[in-house]
Amino acid sequence: MTGNELDELRELTDPGSRVKQPAKEDDVDELETAIVEALEAINQRGKAKTLSVRDERLAAVIYGLEATGEIETVGASLQSALGRDVDDSVDRSELLRLALRVGLQEAAPEVIETAKSAQIRHMTDQF
């Protein structure tokens, strides 16, 4: 969990926040509920955490980045784009996770915000 996510969690758990109040039916987003349910299924029932993508061109790009040692450079750029601390030990899986997050942040930032809310809701439900 990043510092920003921890700050958001702290903010939401302060007295008077929406976490302390029962959620109204209209306040709960359908996507947020689906994400919370998926998190529970992953954690409790063993739903797969692994996703796969079948894309010849993308695979070639990733293999090329690995072969030339540029995967760390691209990974650092993606980490920067997400406001994260730069870590030079980026592997293929981490690069793909970062790229997907950057893509969602750029193209559908509301999905990322909903996912953050779902993560917080899931964590508070577990408490």
Side-chain angles (χ1 to χ4, degrees):
M1 186 171 257
T2 66
N4 289 344
E5 291 169 332
L6 287 173
D7 290 340
E8 288 176 8
L9 180 59
R10 283 187 196 107
E11 193 175 297
L12 287 172
T13 56
D14 281 342
S17 74
R18 69 180 182 91
V19 172
K20 299 274 185 189
Q21 303 166 4
K24 297 177 188 167
E25 190 101 10
D26 296 340
D27 291 345
V28 179
D29 183 279
E30 186 176 343
L31 176 59
E32 181 180 321
T33 299
I35 293 170
V36 170
E37 290 171 358
L39 286 166
E40 289 170 4
I42 290 166
N43 292 330
Q44 303 291 327
R45 297 186 297 271
K47 186 175 183 89
K49 299 179 197 183
T50 304
L51 302 173
S52 61
V53 177
R54 187 179 192 118
D55 186 312
E56 178 181 322
R57 293 179 192 150
L58 182 57
V61 169
I62 301 302
Y63 294 141
L65 289 171
E66 286 178 323
T68 61
E70 292 183 52
I71 196 166
E72 291 86 8
T73 304
V74 173
S77 294
L78 291 167
Q79 289 168 333
S80 257
L82 290 168
R84 295 183 178 185
D85 292 335
V86 174
D87 178 2
D88 292 339
S89 62
V90 174
D91 62 8
R92 181 187 314 163
S93 184
E94 179 66 9
L95 182 84
L96 292 170
R97 282 192 299 270
L98 291 167
L100 185 57
R101 285 189 173 101
V102 168
L104 284 170
Q105 185 64 49
E106 291 296 316
E110 68 281 355
V111 170
I112 296 296
E113 290 306 312
T114 300
K116 287 178 183 178
S117 295
Q119 179 69 32
I120 291 167
R121 184 171 140 200
H122 174 69
M123 289 171 48
T124 57
D125 287 350
Q126 301 302 308
F127 185 70

